[in-house]
Amino acid sequence: MTQDPTPQEALASIQAARASVGETLNYPFAWDLAYGGMLALMVGGAGLPQPWSSITLVLSIVALVFMVQWWRKRTGWWVSGYTPPRARWVAWGMVAVLMGLMGLSFWTRLFDGPFWAPIVAGALAGVTGIIGGRLWMRAYRRDLLAGQG
Amino acid sequence: MSTAPALDTLIHAPGRLQICAILSSVSDAEFAMLRDTIKVSDSVLSKHLKLLEEAGYIALSKMTQDGRQRTWASLTAKGRKAFSAHVAELTRLAALTG
């Protein structure tokens, strides 16, 4: 490309640069498992009595920090889940589902709900993380291709 | 009198255009990732980043990774707005000349 690109060349260059970010979006399934496991621990742990509720919360936050560091080191970039236009709706959808599951988990601890509620909530949170994470990445890839990342 | 939108000459240079394109797609990106993606030397990238930083378009921060200091860049609100306006103008011009 010349030092003074035409509008078409400049737009093509922008598209290519964004696509290069998308090329690094290939990651192992272990990432999905780790993300799902972290959410399962956070949501399921919320239904446990103290101090386990706090311990599982801290452990899940530490796990999240390590995951972010791993991603940054591997790809050289990070993006907030709530920034890309299409992908942010997947993120908000996940937040809504996870809040509901958190409520289910709290039911046992705060309102003497059944013992299985935190287990079911944690398991569903894990599945939400695995499926939602992949859906988010797919939406983000589309955002990048559409030039809207 | 209306003021016609103009291309931002600081952003329009090929290297800086690509840097802004990448940074507009992410929250922040590391120096080596930007260098490898736009295929320039460390010194050229440093110069581009310095110009963008001086214009207030990007913010640079240092993070320690594996015992080494690494530079991360992110678009500021001003940079994001300027880049969006630049892309809008490029799109308008491309439609006119396309």
Side-chain angles (χ1 to χ4, degrees), chain A residues 52-89:
Chain A
W52 300 109
S53 178
S54 297
I55 290 171
T56 53
L57 178 64
V58 170
L59 285 176
S60 56
I61 290 171
V62 168
L64 183 61
V65 168
F66 275 111
M67 287 180 71
V68 172
Q69 285 180 343
W70 180 86
W71 186 275
R72 282 181 173 279
K73 188 177 172 183
R74 181 177 176 275
T75 64
W77 56 266
W78 180 254
V79 63
S80 159
Y82 305 97
T83 306
R86 285 183 180 85
R88 77 161 66 113
W89 292 108

Side-chain angles (χ1 to χ4, degrees), chain A residues 10-34:
Chain A
L11 289 171
S13 163
I14 290 169
Q15 193 69 25
R18 282 179 164 149
S20 69
V21 176
E23 285 166 11
T24 59
L25 274 175
N26 298 314
Y27 55 95
F29 186 60
W31 168 271
D32 300 292
L33 291 178

